Amino acid sequence: MEVIKFSDLQIDERIKRAIEELGYEQPSPIQAQSIPTIIEGKDVIGQAQTGTGKTAAFSIPLLQKLDPQDRSLQAIILCPTRELAIQVSEEVRKLAKYMQGIKTLPVYGGQPIDRQIRALKGGVQVVIGTPGRVIDHINRKTLKLNNVKMVVLDEADEMLDMGFREDIETIVSNVPEERQTTFFSATMPKAILELTKKYQNDPVHIKVVRKELTVSNIKQFYIETRFSNRLEVLTRLIDVYNPKLTVVFTNTKKGADELVSNLQARGYGADSLHGDLKQVQRDIVMDKFRSGTIDILVATDVAARGIDIDDVECVINYELPQDEEYYVHRIGRTGRAGRDGIAFSFVFGREMRKLKDIERFTKSKVLKHTIPTVDDVEQKKVGQFFETVKATLEEGNFSRQLQWVEDFCNQEDFSIIDICAAIVKKTLGDEEKEEIKEEKSGDNRRKNKGTKSFETSRLFFNVGRNQRVEAKDIFGAIVGESGVKGKHIGNIDVYDKYSFVDVDKDKAKTVIDRMMNAKIKGNKLNIEKANKKARKKNKK
Ligand code: AMP
């Protein structure tokens, strides 16, 4: 894999600072190719799925090309759904954090148009919107396209599937010809190619080509677990499997450092390895790992290249990597020198799809593994403890200790068994742990897509961080007010002004009916279904 760093790319220092803050360590493959090409001014067709870092792949060069002095609308990003528009807009906002004078706005159906009009009047350079609402604004002359220099079609295939072709054509053909046009799409059906022919100018087709790589001697498992439970699941896996050396992968350096602190706080010998460390520091960490002074190395993909140690028995993907090829590189840190290795990947919700892509790419099966139970961990610990006791007994040579026990038994009236049990309790501790409660994530919880959902419905709540509302408040309110049980509630994504909540589709109506006009932190609720029908209705 060719190594490209963000510092190699011709991007503004202020954007680099934001990238640094987001903890992105290196451009994902789609970013490494798209960013310089778009900056160069070429039209691009990017073939990339969700989860590959495609949003930043077009947002970074888009921001780079903006003129902050110019208050007029300069770029439009079209997205198929309200959820995606919000998500993309959040990412653009984060990337533009240090670019003073840049204003961005998501526009989508379902939100009062007056508010959007007011915001647009204030001068917005980047609009991220669903086609229907963008057309609406064009018709009302609240969006003027005469100065737009860049159009991005995100998830273009999805937009066509949803019947937005006409709207897209209307919008794109109203933007001056000297624009730059970028398409991002997971698939490239004929209809997309027709559109690119019609609206793009000699586009560069970017698709990440991958080499075949083999992972045959590595047992691969996945564990379905929410992010919030992953630390606990990780420690249980390590306790149960007790690997000699483990490499845990995170997607960001921030994530790596946080995980290391958490592991150290729980008494695990862990350290991190990522691109922020100087070569000397890396060498120190690697020496500690090689010699077993620490047995858990938490690494990012950048650092992974240097890890070539035969004793790594286990690799854990704390998060799935952005690219299938990274997956192979990651798990290839184990099973070296002809040995067997074991790899676990933590997944939840939409990551299940990525896992399917990985299986296809590696032509291997990743098997489901259950979360080790408290009992599994305990059995293992107790088993290991008695193994060491047995070894000490066989070794003999404990006459001093024998004397102490004898003295104690003579003074006190306890049975030998009770005394042993007390010593075990004192040594191993007696913390009663609770089992982890994980609701089934299913494969349909696609965080950023509003496509037909088979098991869950996504609901829009009009409260968010600005009202100091957190996921737990929404969860508590649903359980308390609607009587719908926690197990029927899925992902809760809280944004500044609103939140999205996945609920069992059979319970969605109950939640809406019973919670309408209820309050969270004093804010009257307005809840709507965020499904395809609602979008169509809003499309007008
Ligand atoms: P996307 O494919 O745009 O939906 O991005 C998937 C996830 O990857 C998002 O949570 C991004 O914040 C994250 N991401 C994007 N680029 C990078 C990067 N270079 N390194 C690490 N994470 C990234």
Side-chain angles (χ1 to χ4, degrees):
M1 260 192 302
E2 200 187 342
V3 192
I4 294 180
K5 301 196 207 86
F6 278 116
S7 55
D8 298 333
L9 302 172
Q10 301 295 314
I11 44 182
D12 193 288
E13 286 308 316
R14 290 165 302 177
I15 305 178
K16 280 191 185 151
R17 189 169 159 208
I19 293 172
E20 180 75 26
E21 208 163 274
L22 283 166
Y24 299 171
E25 186 158 42
Q26 63 170 357
S28 67
I30 193 79
Q31 291 168 357
Q33 294 190 54
S34 309
I35 296 172
T37 317
I38 301 176
I39 289 179
E40 225 181 284
K42 298 214 167 94
D43 283 359
V44 159
I45 309 176
Q47 197 167 342
Q49 245 116 13
T50 295
T52 53
K54 66 176 170 63
T55 314
F58 59 74
S59 305
I60 292 171
L62 180 144
L63 290 171
Q64 174 68 29
K65 304 208 85 179
L66 289 182
D67 175 2
Q69 313 302 331
D70 182 352
R71 313 285 305 149
S72 63
L73 182 68
Q74 298 174 50
I76 289 194
I77 303 171
L78 293 176
C79 302
T81 65
R82 159 160 88 181
E83 293 92 304
L84 188 62
I86 291 172
Q87 206 168 298
V88 169
S89 143
E90 291 267 326
E91 178 120 1
V92 174
R93 201 173 49 83
K94 284 185 198 153
L95 287 166
K97 184 171 169 191
Y98 296 106
M99 300 179 75
Q100 251 128 44
I102 296 294
K103 287 222 168 122
T104 65
L105 185 75
V107 300
Y108 46 81
Q111 197 190 34
I113 199 152
D114 302 351
R115 206 191 304 162
Q116 293 173 358
I117 293 173
R118 248 177 285 130
L120 285 169
K121 279 200 176 135
V124 168
Q125 291 107 324
V126 187
V127 154
I128 303 104
T130 49
R133 189 47 76 99
V134 169
I135 294 258
D136 204 342
H137 281 292
I138 294 174
N139 291 341
R140 289 166 188 256
K141 308 230 178 329
T142 40
L143 260 188
K144 296 191 187 76
L145 306 182
N146 55 320
N147 204 22
V148 171
K149 296 178 185 71
M150 189 175 299
V151 179
V152 178
L153 268 59
D154 191 15
E155 304 206 349
D157 49 355
E158 192 85 11
M159 285 200 278
L160 292 193
D161 280 354
M162 291 172 64
F164 284 135
R165 180 169 182 154
E166 221 179 286
D167 289 351
I168 292 172
E169 295 211 40
T170 310
I171 297 165
V172 182
S173 53
N174 270 298
V175 175
E177 284 225 2
E178 51 280 17
R179 65 170 185 262
Q180 207 176 341
T181 317
T182 300
F183 281 62
F184 271 81
S185 187
T187 57
M188 282 294 154
K190 221 171 105 232
I192 297 272
L193 295 173
E194 279 167 19
L195 277 189
T196 76
K197 252 199 209 128
K198 206 160 157 190
Y199 296 106
Q200 284 191 304
N201 177 17
D202 195 16
V204 179
H205 192 149
I206 296 177
K207 184 179 171 185
V208 183
V209 267
R210 303 184 175 99
K211 294 182 259 57
E212 284 279 323
L213 290 156
T214 136
V215 287
S216 57
N217 57 336
I218 303 165
K219 283 198 210 104
Q220 301 173 65
F221 296 101
Y222 73 90
I223 295 184
E224 256 183 294
T225 169
R226 280 173 190 285
F227 200 83
S228 53
N229 287 332
R230 290 187 181 176
L231 177 65
E232 175 65 23
V233 177
L234 172 67
T235 56
R236 287 191 190 183
L237 275 179
I238 288 173
D239 290 346
V240 168
Y241 281 92
N242 196 22
K244 201 162 171 185
L245 297 179
T246 304
V247 181
V248 184
F249 282 99
T250 59
N251 288 353
T252 63
K253 39 196 176 185
K254 204 161 127 201
D257 285 337
E258 276 169 15
L259 181 55
V260 165
S261 318
N262 277 311
L263 285 170
Q264 287 174 344
R266 283 163 182 74
Y268 291 86
D271 214 333
S272 62
L273 192 74
H274 54 61
D276 264 3
L277 304 182
K278 298 212 171 65
Q279 192 55 46
V280 194
Q281 293 169 301
R282 283 193 199 204
D283 291 345
I284 295 173
V285 174
M286 284 311 288
D287 280 346
K288 283 202 277 183
F289 190 51
R290 214 174 276 117
S291 64
T293 313
I294 54 160
D295 52 9
I296 305 170
L297 186 68
V298 182
T300 58
D301 292 293
V302 165
R305 275 173 263 275
I307 309 170
D308 192 1
I309 296 173
D310 296 345
D311 284 337
V312 174
E313 291 179 344
C314 178
V315 167
I316 295 172
N317 289 313
Y318 204 69
E319 299 159 273
L320 277 187
Q322 307 217 289
D323 188 83
E324 289 92 332
E325 203 174 313
Y326 288 176
Y327 175 86
V328 180
H329 278 266
R330 285 180 175 191
I331 71 164
R333 298 307 104 195
T334 180
R336 298 183 86 76
R339 302 185 196 187
D340 288 334
I342 189 163
F344 297 95
S345 297
F346 294 168
V347 293
F348 197 76
R350 68 175 174 151
E351 287 171 312
M352 287 297 293
R353 270 165 203 279
K354 230 162 140 187
L355 190 72
K356 292 270 170 287
D357 290 341
I358 287 171
E359 284 188 319
R360 225 171 295 132
F361 172 63
T362 56
K363 297 196 179 64
S364 59
K365 195 95 194 102
V366 182
L367 302 173
K368 187 177 171 73
H369 194 293
T370 50
I371 296 173
T373 61
V374 171
D375 218 30
D376 293 337
V377 176
E378 216 162 69
Q379 294 285 331
K380 187 77 192 181
K381 259 195 190 159
V382 172
Q384 278 168 354
F385 176 73
F386 280 110
E387 280 300 316
T388 58
V389 171
K390 209 166 129 192
T392 315
L393 282 167
E394 282 164 2
E395 222 176 73
N397 205 9
F398 41 76
S399 49
R400 279 187 331 134
Q401 289 78 4
L402 209 56
Q403 188 60 55
W404 299 337
V405 175
E406 255 180 42
D407 290 349
F408 184 71
C409 287
N410 288 338
Q411 289 160 18
E412 306 286 342
D413 196 17
F414 296 109
S415 75
I416 285 289
I417 295 243
D418 280 349
I419 294 172
C420 287
I423 294 171
V424 173
K425 180 174 172 176
K426 201 77 193 123
T427 315
L428 292 184
D430 190 31
E431 189 193 350
E432 272 196 49
K433 281 192 155 183
E434 268 192 39
E435 280 306 346
I436 295 176
K437 290 190 191 73
E438 289 273 1
E439 296 91 26
K440 288 280 304 151
S441 68
D443 190 8
N444 60 324
R445 217 163 274 174
R446 298 171 68 192
K447 213 170 161 189
N448 62 347
K449 294 192 178 186
T451 49
K452 205 160 35 178
S453 166
F454 296 101
E455 286 170 9
T456 57
S457 287
R458 208 156 166 68
L459 300 182
F460 173 91
F461 278 57
N462 63 329
V463 286
R465 283 193 288 257
N466 287 356
Q467 287 83 32
R468 297 186 323 283
V469 169
E470 295 175 40
K472 66 175 187 328
D473 302 321
I474 297 181
F475 187 92
I478 298 176
V479 174
E481 301 277 341
S482 74
V484 167
K485 293 209 171 70
K487 65 180 179 194
H488 297 294
I489 307 168
N491 261 355
I492 301 179
D493 293 330
V494 181
Y495 294 97
D496 284 349
K497 297 179 188 152
Y498 25 70
S499 305
F500 287 108
V501 183
D502 287 342
V503 294
D504 185 330
K505 86 171 188 326
D506 298 334
K507 307 284 176 199
K509 194 170 172 324
T510 313
V511 172
I512 296 175
D513 291 349
R514 297 200 186 153
M515 297 194 64
M516 218 27 133
N517 301 327
K519 284 183 180 172
I520 296 184
K521 294 211 164 155
N523 300 285
K524 205 159 143 198
L525 287 182
N526 182 22
I527 308 167
E528 278 179 60
K529 258 192 176 176
N531 64 8
K532 207 163 165 173
K533 246 194 225 146
R535 278 195 309 276
K536 283 231 162 116
K537 192 176 78 202
N538 294 322
K539 207 183 119 193
K540 282 191 268 182

